[in-house]
Amino acid sequence: GGSALPGRYSVQVSSLAQGQPLTSATYGGTSSVVGTGTLSIQLGTWTGSPGTFAPGSAAAVQVAIGAGQATLAGIRDEINAANAGVTASIVTDASGSRLALRSSSTGAAQGFRIEVTDDDADDTDAAGLSGLAYDPQAGITRMTRAQAAGNAQATVNGISVSSATNELSGVVDGLSLTLSRTTASPGELTVA
């Protein structure tokens, strides 16, 4: 920006901001019937392993799955229509189709858990809709998490900075940095 002053900055990036992905078990295809009931999707922050969950300020979003939406594709569409802070897609390979969920935004506070009320009367087994439950704090991990949601972590001139996105704005007056990769050693940035 126009207010940036000439200077030299040492920048090192230890991690990029990321969302939380979850993947279901394999189903036969997008039209495979999963089950009916309600998914409760809550955004928040996971700490530790397997994890303690601190809910965010927004209420959990209830996603009702009726008989007409009970397929893998139908569940994907209902989750996406609910605007719960999570984006759903289906990934298919030689072994079958999986429901893949990902935080819609990056940052540590964009982790999420999924609690299930399953119409088959058992909310804890892997059958029916409860196969999509994810709440390690309660000992339920029917879906697989590949990575935790996290903030970007960097140092600018030796000062630690953190951001929920990969954009560092306001760290240095008039300068915005877009982080694209981690670095093994500091890089030099010159404003002239």
Side-chain angles (χ1 to χ4, degrees):
S3 63
L5 298 175
R8 292 175 55 89
Y9 303 95
S10 173
V11 180
Q12 184 166 1
V13 181
S14 56
S15 64
L16 294 175
Q18 57 194 19
Q20 173 186 309
L22 289 180
T23 307
S24 74
T26 304
Y27 293 89
T30 59
S31 60
S32 295
V33 175
V34 178
T36 59
T38 303
L39 301 172
S40 178
I41 301 173
Q42 173 76 59
L43 293 178
T45 305
W46 287 103
T47 54
S49 182
T52 301
F53 187 75
S57 58
V61 175
Q62 307 302 313
V63 182
I65 307 296
Q69 299 87 34
T71 64
L72 208 57
I75 292 169
R76 172 203 59 202
D77 296 343
E78 290 301 306
I79 291 172
N80 288 335
N83 295 317
V86 173
T87 302
S89 59
I90 296 173
V91 177
T92 303
D93 62 14
S95 62
S97 298
R98 295 174 185 84
L99 184 66
L101 305 178
R102 187 172 187 88
S103 309
S104 298
S105 301
T106 58
Q110 299 302 309
F112 61 96
R113 69 178 172 193
I114 303 174
E115 296 173 315
V116 175
T117 303
D118 197 336
D119 286 347
D120 72 4
D122 189 344
D123 299 338
T124 61
D125 67 357
L129 200 61
S130 56
L132 302 180
Y134 181 80
D135 187 359
Q137 184 171 288
I140 302 169
T141 54
R142 302 291 178 230
M143 297 186 80
T144 303
R145 184 180 81 175
Q147 67 188 23
N151 290 344
Q153 304 291 335
T155 59
V156 177
N157 285 351
I159 300 169
S160 295
V161 294
S162 178
S163 173
T165 69
N166 288 314
E167 181 89 11
L168 299 181
S169 297
V171 173
V172 177
D173 286 342
L175 187 62
S176 293
L177 301 175
T178 301
L179 308 179
S180 59
R181 63 182 174 89
T182 59
T183 58
S185 59
E188 292 296 318
L189 174 68
T190 302
V191 178

